[in-house]
Amino acid sequence: MPSTENGSSELKKQQSSGALIAEITGASLLFSDKFDLLTQTGLPLSPDFLLGKVICLLFGAAWSPPFTDFLELFKSFHEDLQTDGAPMEVVYVSFDRTCEEMMGLVGDFPASWACVPHGSSMINYLKLRYSIVVIPKLVVVKDNGNVITDKGVREVRKRTKRCFTHWYNVANQVLETDNS
């Protein structure tokens, strides 16, 4: 993973560059048309499906044993929640070394998961915005990027499905606060 030294100044440069990073203020989406998401088969995906959902930003890489171990637990967690109709979406943010490595891993993800394209400037932006220094990391956010929790890995391991209820309640409080 690239160094995060001078991370805040790099983040400011990226935020000020309209050509690279979409403005994230107010009710704006975390992801914009400038940063297409991909399906597990590599097809472009509009970020509109994220509106009004609890978004799990899953940072990881195929080469990381702690990530691949957590991934199995998280896939089961996600499957249980989808069966219950939970308004949650997963976006994989890859630190894989190559696009082929990433797509090999993504091919085993549930079909509903999205991913940020390998090599996209959005990966570095998200890494800096959410202070990612280790993987696995699960940052749970609203569609406007407001953090619900940055301790998603620990919460999923400890509380299983109950943590989603907490995330959902916090997300709705954040939404009410944002609209007032």
Side-chain angles (χ1 to χ4, degrees):
M1 193 176 337
S3 168
T4 57
E5 205 167 299
N6 298 325
S8 61
S9 64
E10 179 65 22
L11 178 60
K12 287 176 186 166
K13 281 187 220 169
Q14 286 187 348
Q15 283 179 324
S16 66
S17 174
L20 289 178
I21 302 299
E23 186 68 25
I24 300 176
T25 58
S28 298
L29 270 175
L30 175 59
F31 295 94
S32 75
D33 291 335
K34 293 180 184 179
F35 297 102
D36 288 330
L37 297 172
L38 300 177
T39 65
Q40 76 177 130
T41 59
L43 297 174
L45 181 66
S46 168
D48 292 345
F49 78 100
L50 299 172
L51 282 171
K53 305 279 181 75
V54 172
I55 303 167
C56 294
L57 298 174
L58 180 60
F59 295 85
W63 51 260
S64 168
F67 173 73
T68 55
D69 290 347
F70 174 71
L71 183 59
E72 293 310 309
L73 173 67
F74 188 64
K75 286 192 313 193
S76 176
F77 169 83
H78 175 264
E79 183 179 318
D80 289 347
L81 288 171
Q82 292 304 295
T83 300
D84 295 344
M88 178 182 93
E89 298 295 343
V90 178
V91 175
Y92 176 59
V93 184
S94 168
F95 291 122
D96 292 298
R97 295 178 191 114
T98 65
C99 184
E100 292 76 21
E101 188 177 57
M102 179 187 108
M103 294 311 290
L105 183 66
V106 168
D108 291 332
F109 288 175
S112 63
W113 290 16
C115 62
V116 177
H118 188 270
S120 167
S121 59
M122 188 61 153
I123 293 170
N124 195 47
Y125 171 77
L126 293 170
K127 176 186 157 199
L128 293 170
R129 177 174 174 143
Y130 298 112
S131 303
I132 307 303
V133 294
V134 298
I135 56 174
K137 185 74 170 186
L138 181 64
V139 180
V140 182
V141 299
K142 280 289 298 163
D143 61 6
N144 63 3
N146 288 349
V147 174
I148 296 169
T149 184
D150 64 354
K151 296 172 180 43
V153 171
R154 181 172 42 183
E155 291 178 15
V156 167
R157 284 185 175 143
K158 284 186 170 184
R159 298 169 49 185
T160 61
K161 284 178 27 175
R162 289 180 297 168
C163 65
F164 177 78
T165 303
H166 172 72
W167 298 344
Y168 183 77
N169 291 337
V170 171
N172 287 321
Q173 290 169 356
V174 170
L175 181 62
E176 291 169 13
T177 302
D178 287 348
N179 290 333
S180 53

